[in-house]
Amino acid sequence: MEGARSIRLKRNTFVLFVTLFVLAVFAWAGWANYEYRKQAAEKMLAAAGHTELIASGSSDDGPPSPLVGKPAPEFALQDLSGKKVSLSSYKGKALLINFWATWCGPCKLETPWIVQLRDQYASQGFEVLGIDSEGDDLPDSDKPGLAKQKAAVAEFVQQEHMPYPVLLGGDGLAQPYGGLEAMPTSFYVDRNGTVVAAQMGISSKDDMEAKIRKIIGAGK
Amino acid sequence: MRTHLAIPAVTLLCSALLCFGAHGQSFPTQAPNQSNGKLEAVLYLYPEQVTLTAGKTSPVALHFRIAPGFHINSHTPKEEFLIPTVFSIPADAGVKLEDATYPPGADFVLPADPDTKLSVYTGEFAIQAKLVAQPGDHLVNAKLRYQACDKTACMPPKTITVPIDIVGK
């Protein structure tokens, strides 16, 4: 009787230890899996962020544009009144082509600088073309969405007292103008129609003025 | 009597399997926010799967991470023209979003405009969602709409898919 109880006790103890061991293995496996996946996610994110930082830090003007030194790609877009405006109609002018969007804080910040610089240098053959690029991918069938967007652009133009032509549909120029992945993006075009400088992101009024002086003087 | 300890042992083993298996909330091993080699500013972290009591409002914290160097507008940006961060669930998902509580935005100042404070999210943030699930297993493609910028430029507004396997029991 005593022997049978002893054997049962030993068996129970053995089962208990085996159970605890298996539980410990599961706990360890779960923790290791969690850590592995967490580290994998962090590594992936860090790698992606690193790529972007390199691109942004390559120059004060943002990523170098392949358009610099080449003719500005031709376009014809409608302005807010529906009138078609083409790049070719500005032949002989020094031109700042400024892509912007209504949701873009830096664009709102640099617009007063552009307005002032345009007024300052207009008499020397300088003009600005503002091109709205909302990047919302609204289909042509979304009439209410497009109308709302146009109204937002008109409101922005009114608020900022933009005296230069503002054109709609800049998203369609993304491919010829190197992607237009971020706003604002500006191209400085000399009187011969050649892109002299490009700027992705806001810089400073002084920097913009220096570039404008460059295109005014270039090609004379 | 032989099963005296074997039954609780099997129960514990099953619990362990459930704990680290079907009900685990783990980090994604793929990059759902990275497409065509382009960086997406916001990455959905977790949970990948949640089990909720069917028909009952249940809180679920949804965790996201913003890529280093970027910020996104908070749910309540200070300027009307800025696009807020908004979480949503499609109507036919089998899961209803009753409410969403967003974290407060942190003040952020652009170097070119030190006088203007923006309300933004950076780093990691969590949205506290209140969900009501119908009975069953629902692979929900929730959405997060945001608009990201770095210190000098802004990317177009974006809507990313937030995939969550929601089980209503």
Side-chain angles (χ1 to χ4, degrees):
Chain A
M1 193 69 175
E2 193 65 30
R5 189 180 296 166
S6 173
I7 289 170
R8 201 181 305 130
L9 191 65
K10 280 181 182 172
R11 189 194 304 134
N12 288 348
T13 308
F14 175 74
V15 170
L16 182 65
F17 273 108
V18 168
T19 304
L20 288 173
F21 175 75
V22 171
L23 276 176
V25 168
F26 272 110
W28 176 82
W31 176 81
N33 182 41
Y34 174 85
E35 283 296 313
Y36 170 77
R37 298 181 80 162
K38 185 179 167 187
Q39 283 172 15
E42 282 175 354
K43 272 182 192 170
M44 200 158 44
L45 194 69
H50 185 62
T51 306
E52 181 63 22
L53 288 173
I54 288 169
S56 298
S58 59
S59 146
D60 288 338
D61 294 345
S65 170
L67 287 183
V68 173
K70 294 178 182 170
E74 178 57 36
F75 57 80
L77 297 172
Q78 284 187 350
D79 67 12
L80 283 166
S81 66
K83 183 186 155 197
K84 209 115 185 175
V85 176
S86 66
L87 177 66
S88 57
S89 59
Y90 288 88
K91 201 173 178 184
K93 290 263 189 187
L95 205 59
L96 164 57
I97 302 172
N98 176 243
F99 290 90
W100 62 278
T102 54
W103 40 258
C104 165
C107 303
K108 201 172 176 72
L109 193 59
E110 73 170 12
T111 300
W113 304 343
I114 295 173
V115 171
Q116 287 169 22
L117 291 166
R118 189 261 184 191
D119 290 347
Q120 191 177 334
Y121 290 100
S123 62
Q124 296 178 50
F126 172 65
E127 184 54 288
V128 179
L129 285 180
I131 303 183
D132 178 62
S133 308
E134 297 297 309
D136 252 348
D137 296 334
L138 289 179
D140 289 342
S141 56
D142 187 357
K143 302 291 181 195
L146 291 167
K148 194 178 169 187
Q149 198 174 83
K150 191 174 175 181
V153 174
E155 191 184 340
F156 189 102
V157 169
Q158 196 178 15
Q159 280 176 356
E160 300 299 326
H161 308 291
M162 295 157 81
Y164 47 83
V166 173
L167 313 180
L168 303 171
D171 296 330
L173 298 180
Q175 196 181 352
Y177 275 84
L180 299 176
E181 287 171 5
M183 297 290 125
T185 295
S186 293
F187 295 90
Y188 296 81
V189 182
D190 70 14
R191 297 176 199 275
N192 294 325
T194 302
V195 177
V196 172
Q199 169 83 41
M200 191 173 89
I202 192 170
S203 56
S204 67
K205 189 182 173 189
D206 288 347
D207 180 66
M208 295 186 99
E209 185 168 8
K211 289 186 172 95
I212 289 167
R213 283 178 176 275
K214 202 170 169 183
I215 55 171
I216 287 171
K220 272 185 180 176
Chain B
M1 291 302 283
R2 278 185 183 183
T3 54
H4 181 67
L5 276 176
I7 289 171
V10 169
T11 308
L12 281 168
L13 274 173
C14 289
S15 301
L17 280 169
L18 285 171
C19 195
F20 297 110
H23 284 212
Q25 294 188 353
S26 51
F27 288 81
T29 51
Q30 54 184 345
N33 299 74
Q34 206 165 9
S35 58
N36 303 326
K38 288 182 182 176
L39 169 71
E40 302 294 359
V42 179
L43 180 75
Y44 175 58
L45 296 178
Y46 60 91
E48 284 182 327
Q49 185 188 62
V50 289
T51 301
L52 309 177
T53 304
K56 190 182 168 190
T57 303
S58 308
V60 177
L62 305 161
H63 295 258
F64 300 86
R65 181 182 290 158
I66 300 164
F70 287 91
H71 60 267
I72 64 173
N73 296 318
S74 74
H75 183 61
T76 51
K78 292 182 178 177
E79 301 277 358
E80 198 186 341
F81 71 92
L82 297 173
I83 292 173
T85 296
V86 177
F87 176 77
S88 63
I89 291 180
D92 57 349
V95 176
K96 189 182 171 192
L97 177 64
E98 286 266 298
D99 190 26
T101 304
Y102 297 83
D107 283 347
F108 184 85
V109 170
L110 289 172
D113 185 19
D115 296 331
T116 304
K117 283 182 182 173
L118 304 171
S119 172
V120 306
Y121 300 144
T122 55
E124 287 191 19
F125 70 99
I127 296 170
Q128 309 292 332
K130 286 184 178 169
L131 307 178
V132 181
Q134 292 172 10
D137 193 344
H138 312 284
L139 183 55
V140 176
N141 284 320
K143 305 289 178 192
L144 185 81
R145 182 169 166 80
Y146 65 88
Q147 194 269 302
C149 301
D150 65 13
K151 286 180 180 174
T152 63
C154 293
M155 293 193 286
K158 185 100 183 171
T159 301
I160 59 165
T161 297
V162 179
I164 317 169
D165 185 7
I166 298 178
V167 181
K169 278 189 177 172

